[in-house]
Amino acid sequence: MLNKKASWMIMALQDRNKRGFRRLLRSFDFAYQGLKHVIKHEQNMQVHAIVALLTVAMAAWLSFSLTSWMILLLVIAGMFSMEIMNTAVERTVDLITNDFHPLAKRAKDIAASAVLVYTLFSIVIGALLFIPPILEKFHIL
């Protein structure tokens, strides 16, 4: 007898070409399961989540404008998305081979570099968003 998760996955494969509300709901459930897994098991995602919460708290303390909030939330969502995609690439490579292979390492390194590039630009954007209100808050400007 199949467990509940396995039967859901089989049903999803069976109706791959079908449309409908139930299939849509299942797709959201799969996405939620993936997000839950990444947050629970991936240390880098946990670090990003903590930094995001602290950043949002500081933005609230600084009374960010609507435009600054929109930019900040887009940057945070982009960071989460990049980390999730990096994890997906790593898991896919791990699925393909357990042995060390230079191309497998290269694929993982390249996916991780995408996260690094986004992180560096996020820091620059964060500085542009946070420095002026911090200087104003402490009457330095």
Side-chain angles (χ1 to χ4, degrees):
M1 173 125 186
L2 294 173
N3 65 27
K4 188 176 180 181
K5 271 281 193 236
S7 52
W8 268 79
M9 293 175 78
I10 289 170
M11 287 189 329
L13 291 173
Q14 288 172 343
D15 68 355
R16 183 175 280 177
N17 294 323
K18 294 181 184 176
R19 295 176 182 235
F21 190 68
R22 287 183 66 210
R23 182 167 188 252
L24 178 67
L25 286 179
R26 272 198 300 274
S27 69
F28 280 109
D29 183 55
F30 293 145
Y32 170 73
Q33 294 303 321
L35 180 62
K36 190 168 78 169
H37 176 83
V38 171
I39 290 171
K40 186 175 179 181
H41 297 287
E42 294 298 320
Q43 183 178 6
N44 287 347
M45 187 62 151
Q46 294 165 358
V47 170
H48 289 307
I50 291 167
V51 170
L53 288 173
L54 294 173
T55 303
V56 165
M58 189 169 186
W61 179 68
L62 291 170
S63 304
F64 264 26
S65 68
L66 178 61
T67 303
S68 292
W69 272 111
M70 289 188 300
I71 294 167
L72 178 64
L73 293 176
L74 281 170
V75 168
I76 290 171
M79 189 76 254
F80 286 160
S81 298
M82 291 297 292
E83 190 61 49
I84 290 166
M85 289 305 298
N86 179 49
T87 300
V89 168
E90 288 178 352
R91 294 304 163 266
T92 303
V93 169
D94 290 344
L95 178 66
I96 293 168
T97 180
N98 287 328
D99 300 326
F100 176 81
H101 192 284
L103 289 176
K105 179 188 182 321
R106 184 74 63 216
K108 286 181 168 187
D109 291 350
I110 291 169
S113 73
V115 176
L116 177 63
V117 168
Y118 196 91
T119 300
L120 294 174
F121 277 91
S122 294
I123 291 168
V124 171
I125 292 168
L128 293 171
L129 288 173
F130 279 92
I131 290 174
I134 288 171
L135 294 177
E136 187 177 314
K137 187 87 159 174
F138 292 103
H139 309 292
I140 298 171
L141 248 182

